[in-house]
């Protein structure tokens, strides 16, 4: 993408967070005018009642809470939207964007609300409305051509359900969690048990429909390759509202094998995790083995090794005996099934459960805080032992440390092909997650101990994880890395401070795309892609 110096010098640099006093004094009138604009342009009272929800409506808070997947952001002091818009067709989204721009209304877009920091339904220091895409969730598959269109309000579980109904030989590489919205997941990358075989969800998106900052609906051809590149891993909320994705379905065998092995002895578990570091990223691409440190029902720390093999159990056992004999995988640890049944298995549904449960939307009951790292060299056993001991702390009763293997297809795709940069050279990703009961959110002293636990584990791992920058996955957004809280002239520098952690060398290209497609910074949040201020930023 090319820019002339004269164009760059004229580009506006607007701060996402404006002075609160000015916003509050103006927002009442602006919001009323915004709602009038919506009602006038939709021009159908029946539709208007289905689309526009204000705090005066009895359904407002039930709609807001229904997709809050981190209950710690449900507390009264959390900023609430002044209205929620639930479009029923694509033109409704265009209307929202055009009216919001006309009347100076800030918007947040939500597909299923799984963002770690609640950024799809929270905005700090400014009034805002939420565009909730729950009604835009249709899925149409073309099995013969191995493609499909998925609206952004659908969940991965709904997508899996439709694939499972249509075929047993095709799949799609997306999240293990079936309640994750495809809008947020695909736009940040998106991965699950098929990542080592087929890469990210974003790697298998071949077209999209997006509403841009001018309210236009653009497909891949109309938006251009730079724009299309940016929304497949750069975080879609920085660039527009993605309405739907055209996906490429992938081949899977009729029989796959899942397995689960638990190790309760610290000495044995630490040794196997240490070996896992050298094996999991290098085994054949058909094999995915994750490792988790957590507490058991008996309140004791254990290591859990969970896997998927794209093939029959006898081949898996022979492979594991060759590549990872230390795990001592046995026939009774394994179950053969179809790929779609494995989606149920990884979602912890009991054996024999119907596929339809994948399409059920469920609000989580546990609050959480998470942080994320990438490991490029095996960490020493002493560090694994210390992680084990940190999980013995009282505040870690529900905590997890999750190790997700990379390698395979993830190492074969070049870093520049999508904005997701965590490719070759990464052995695995590690997540630190503290969970607690929703009712504990009423006491800040209680919740603070969980936040401090996550921070302490993150600090512990500093010497052993990626450096310059210390990487993080944008779908696991972490506001501890910073927010737009400075003055206008520092926004670019603030954005770069976390932008390079999420996107490394792709950050500057994302900034150029953002500046081109949204020069007034209409789509912005606390960690959105910033604009170029001047030629000097190139």
């Amino acid at each position: 993408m090319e820019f002339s110096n004269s164009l760059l010098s004229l580009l506006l640099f607007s701060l996402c967070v404006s002075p609160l006093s000015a916003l509050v004094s103006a927002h009442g009138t602006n919001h009323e005018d915004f709602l009038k604009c919506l009602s006038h342009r939709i021009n159908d009272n029946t539709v208007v009642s289905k689309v526009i929800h204000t705090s005066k409506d009895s359904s407002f808070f039930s709609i807001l809470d229904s997709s809050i997947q981190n209950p710690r952001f449900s507390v009264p002091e959390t900023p609430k939207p002044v209205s929620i818009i639930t479009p029923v067709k694509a033109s409704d989204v265009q209307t929202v964007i055009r009216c919001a721009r006309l009347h100076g209304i800030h918007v947040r877009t939500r597909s299923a609300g799984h963002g770690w920091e609640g950024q799809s339904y929270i905005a700090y220091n400014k009034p805002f409305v939420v565009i909730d895409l729950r009604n835009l969730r249709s899925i149409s598959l073309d099995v013969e051509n191995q493609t499909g269109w998925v609206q952004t309000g659908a969940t991965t579980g709904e997508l899996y359900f439709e694939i499972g109904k249509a075929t047993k030989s095709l799949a799609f590489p997306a999240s293990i969690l079936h309640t994750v919205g495809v809008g947020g997941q695909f736009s940040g990358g998106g991965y699950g048990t098929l990542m080592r075989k087929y890469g990210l969800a974003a790697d298998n998106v071949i077209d999209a429909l997006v509403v841009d900052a001018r309210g236009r609906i653009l497909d891949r051809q109309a938006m251009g390759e730079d724009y299309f590149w940016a929304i497949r891993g750069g975080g879609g909320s920085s660039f527009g509202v993605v309405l739907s994705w055209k996906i490429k379905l992938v081949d899977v065998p009729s029989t796959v094998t899942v397995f689960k092995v638990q190790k309760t002895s610290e000495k044995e578990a630490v040794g196997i995790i240490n070996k896992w570091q050298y094996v999991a990223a290098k085994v054949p691409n058909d094999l995915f083995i994750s490792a988790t440190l957590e507490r058991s029902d008996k309140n004791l720390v254990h290591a859990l090794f969970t896997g998927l093999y794209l093939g029959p159990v006898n081949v898996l056992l022979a492979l594991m005996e060759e590549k990872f004999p230390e795990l001592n995988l046995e026939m009774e640890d394994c179950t053969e099934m179809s790929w779609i049944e494995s989606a149920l298995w990884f979602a912890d549904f009991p054996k024999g459960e119907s596929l339809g449960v994948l399409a059920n939307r469920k609000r989580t009951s546990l609050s959480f805080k998470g942080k994320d790292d990438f490991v490029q060299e095996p960490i020493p056993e002493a560090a694994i032992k210390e992680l084990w001991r940190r999980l013995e702390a009282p505040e870690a009763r529900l905590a997890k440390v999750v190790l997700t293997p990379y390698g395979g297809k993830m190492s074969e795709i070049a870093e520049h092909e999508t904005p997701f940069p965590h490719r070759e050279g990464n052995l695995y990703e590690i997540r630190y997650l503290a969970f607690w009961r929703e009712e504990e959110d009423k006491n800040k002293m209680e919740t603070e101990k969980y936040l401090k636990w996550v921070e302490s584990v993150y600090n512990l791992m500093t010497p052993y994880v990626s450096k310059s920058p210390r990487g993080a996955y944008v779908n696991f957004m972490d506001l501890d890395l910073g927010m737009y809280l400075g003055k206008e002239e520092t926004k670019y520098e603030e954005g770069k401070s976390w932008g390079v952690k999420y996107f490394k060398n792709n950050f500057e290209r994302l900034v150029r795309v953002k500046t081109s497609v949204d020069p007034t910074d209409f789509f912005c949040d606390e960690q959105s892609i910033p604009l170029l201020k001047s030629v000097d930023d190139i």
Side-chain angles (χ1 to χ4, degrees), residues 57-351:
D57 302 336
S58 59
S59 61
F60 179 82
F61 286 100
S62 64
I63 293 173
L64 176 62
D65 291 342
S66 64
S67 292
I68 293 181
Q69 299 289 353
N70 193 345
R72 75 184 179 104
F73 298 120
S74 302
V75 295
E77 55 266 31
T78 300
K80 304 294 188 291
V82 291
S83 61
I84 303 171
I85 313 300
T86 54
V88 296
K89 55 185 183 297
S91 60
D92 294 339
V93 179
Q94 292 180 280
T95 298
V96 174
I97 299 305
R98 288 167 177 163
C99 289
R101 286 201 59 163
L102 182 62
H103 297 289
I105 295 295
H106 182 62
V107 301
R108 293 290 163 100
T109 305
R110 180 168 75 174
S111 55
H114 265 276
W116 281 16
E117 300 283 7
Q119 293 309 104
S120 62
Y121 49 87
I122 294 172
Y124 296 97
N125 296 335
K126 65 190 316 178
F128 67 103
V129 302
V130 168
I131 305 175
D132 191 311
L133 298 169
R134 65 182 59 217
N135 296 322
L136 298 179
R137 57 203 288 184
S138 70
I139 299 168
S140 60
L141 302 178
D142 181 349
V143 172
E144 182 178 352
N145 292 306
Q146 296 190 204
T147 62
W149 276 99
V150 186
Q151 285 193 308
T152 200
T155 63
T156 54
E158 289 170 333
L159 173 59
Y160 296 161
F161 175 54
E162 293 300 324
I163 294 173
K165 286 195 304 180
T167 174
K168 294 296 186 291
S169 61
L170 297 174
F172 190 72
S175 176
I176 291 175
L177 293 175
H178 69 289
T179 56
V180 171
V182 304
Q185 209 211 22
F186 293 8
S187 65
Y191 65 77
T193 59
L194 295 176
M195 62 186 292
R196 301 192 67 257
K197 179 70 173 181
Y198 291 111
L200 306 172
D203 296 328
N204 294 277
V205 168
I206 55 178
D207 204 342
L209 295 178
V210 62
V211 179
D212 72 355
R214 293 165 58 184
R216 302 174 300 175
I217 295 179
L218 308 173
D219 63 6
R220 178 175 182 172
Q221 182 177 4
M223 73 178 82
E225 289 304 301
D226 283 310
Y227 199 164
F228 182 63
W229 171 85
I231 62 173
R232 293 177 299 125
S237 61
S238 287
F239 304 98
V241 178
V242 180
L243 296 173
S244 57
W245 308 86
K246 187 177 184 181
I247 60 174
K248 177 180 62 179
L249 302 178
V250 300
D251 295 307
V252 289
S254 59
T255 298
V256 305
T257 305
V258 297
F259 62 88
K260 186 178 294 184
V261 178
Q262 180 178 299
K263 300 296 181 181
T264 56
S265 162
E266 177 184 348
K267 183 177 180 180
E268 182 185 21
V270 169
I272 295 175
I273 288 176
N274 183 56
K275 180 64 176 180
W276 177 93
Q277 296 183 98
Y278 293 87
V279 171
K282 297 179 180 179
V283 294
N285 296 5
D286 289 336
L287 179 57
F288 172 91
I289 315 170
S290 68
T292 303
L293 286 171
E294 60 185 0
R295 299 256 277 272
S296 68
D297 293 339
K298 295 180 180 179
N299 204 23
L300 299 174
V301 180
H302 69 263
L304 190 66
F305 299 86
T306 309
L308 171 71
Y309 177 66
L310 299 176
V313 65
N314 61 314
V315 179
L316 169 63
L317 291 173
L319 176 62
M320 291 293 282
E321 180 61 30
E322 177 190 353
K323 302 292 186 181
F324 196 9
E326 294 81 1
L327 187 60
N328 193 29
L329 184 68
E330 298 180 351
M331 181 71 74
E332 54 264 34
D333 303 318
C334 307
T335 306
E336 290 184 334
M337 57 183 62
S338 65
W339 171 81
I340 190 61
E341 289 171 330
S342 79
L344 287 168
W345 188 86
F346 276 99
D348 290 327
F349 287 113
K351 185 177 180 180

Side-chain angles (χ1 to χ4, degrees), residues 277-481:
Q277 296 183 98
Y278 293 87
V279 171
K282 297 179 180 179
V283 294
N285 296 5
D286 289 336
L287 179 57
F288 172 91
I289 315 170
S290 68
T292 303
L293 286 171
E294 60 185 0
R295 299 256 277 272
S296 68
D297 293 339
K298 295 180 180 179
N299 204 23
L300 299 174
V301 180
H302 69 263
L304 190 66
F305 299 86
T306 309
L308 171 71
Y309 177 66
L310 299 176
V313 65
N314 61 314
V315 179
L316 169 63
L317 291 173
L319 176 62
M320 291 293 282
E321 180 61 30
E322 177 190 353
K323 302 292 186 181
F324 196 9
E326 294 81 1
L327 187 60
N328 193 29
L329 184 68
E330 298 180 351
M331 181 71 74
E332 54 264 34
D333 303 318
C334 307
T335 306
E336 290 184 334
M337 57 183 62
S338 65
W339 171 81
I340 190 61
E341 289 171 330
S342 79
L344 287 168
W345 188 86
F346 276 99
D348 290 327
F349 287 113
K351 185 177 180 180
E353 190 69 77
S354 68
L355 292 182
V357 297
L358 288 171
N360 293 342
R361 297 193 173 211
K362 182 181 179 182
R363 183 181 183 273
T364 54
S365 59
L366 292 176
S367 295
F368 70 91
K369 170 64 181 180
K371 299 180 83 66
D372 184 55
D373 265 323
F374 291 89
V375 177
Q376 297 169 339
E377 297 288 340
I379 67 176
E381 284 195 44
I384 302 172
K385 289 179 181 178
E386 184 58 33
L387 282 174
W388 185 284
R389 296 188 181 109
R390 295 294 175 99
L391 281 155
E392 293 174 337
E395 59 270 28
R397 174 66 184 86
L398 301 174
K400 296 178 185 289
V401 176
V402 183
L403 286 62
T404 302
Y406 274 50
K409 187 70 172 179
M410 293 296 292
S411 294
E412 297 169 13
I413 299 173
E415 178 184 316
H416 66 269
E417 290 191 35
T418 70
F420 183 92
H422 315 291
R423 304 283 191 172
E424 187 176 9
N426 290 293
L427 295 177
Y428 60 94
E429 183 180 18
I430 183 167
R431 286 170 283 156
Y432 324 103
L433 293 153
F435 295 90
W436 59 92
R437 294 184 301 276
E438 184 175 353
E439 55 267 26
E440 294 181 86
D441 287 313
K442 298 175 183 177
N443 186 333
K444 288 187 177 180
M445 294 288 288
E446 282 293 307
T447 58
E448 187 64 25
K449 66 184 181 184
Y450 300 111
L451 303 181
K452 288 182 177 178
W453 182 87
V454 175
E455 186 68 29
S456 72
V457 176
Y458 185 73
N459 291 338
L460 167 71
M461 296 301 293
T462 301
Y464 313 116
V465 297
S466 61
K467 299 175 179 64
S468 301
R470 183 175 185 173
Y473 175 27
V474 70
N475 274 2
F476 299 151
M477 184 179 285
D478 181 6
L479 293 185
D480 293 344
L481 300 180

Side-chain angles (χ1 to χ4, degrees), residues 3-15:
F3 291 86
S4 68
N5 289 349
S6 60
L7 174 60
L8 285 170
S9 65
L10 293 173
L11 288 171
L12 297 175
F13 175 74
S14 60
L15 184 64

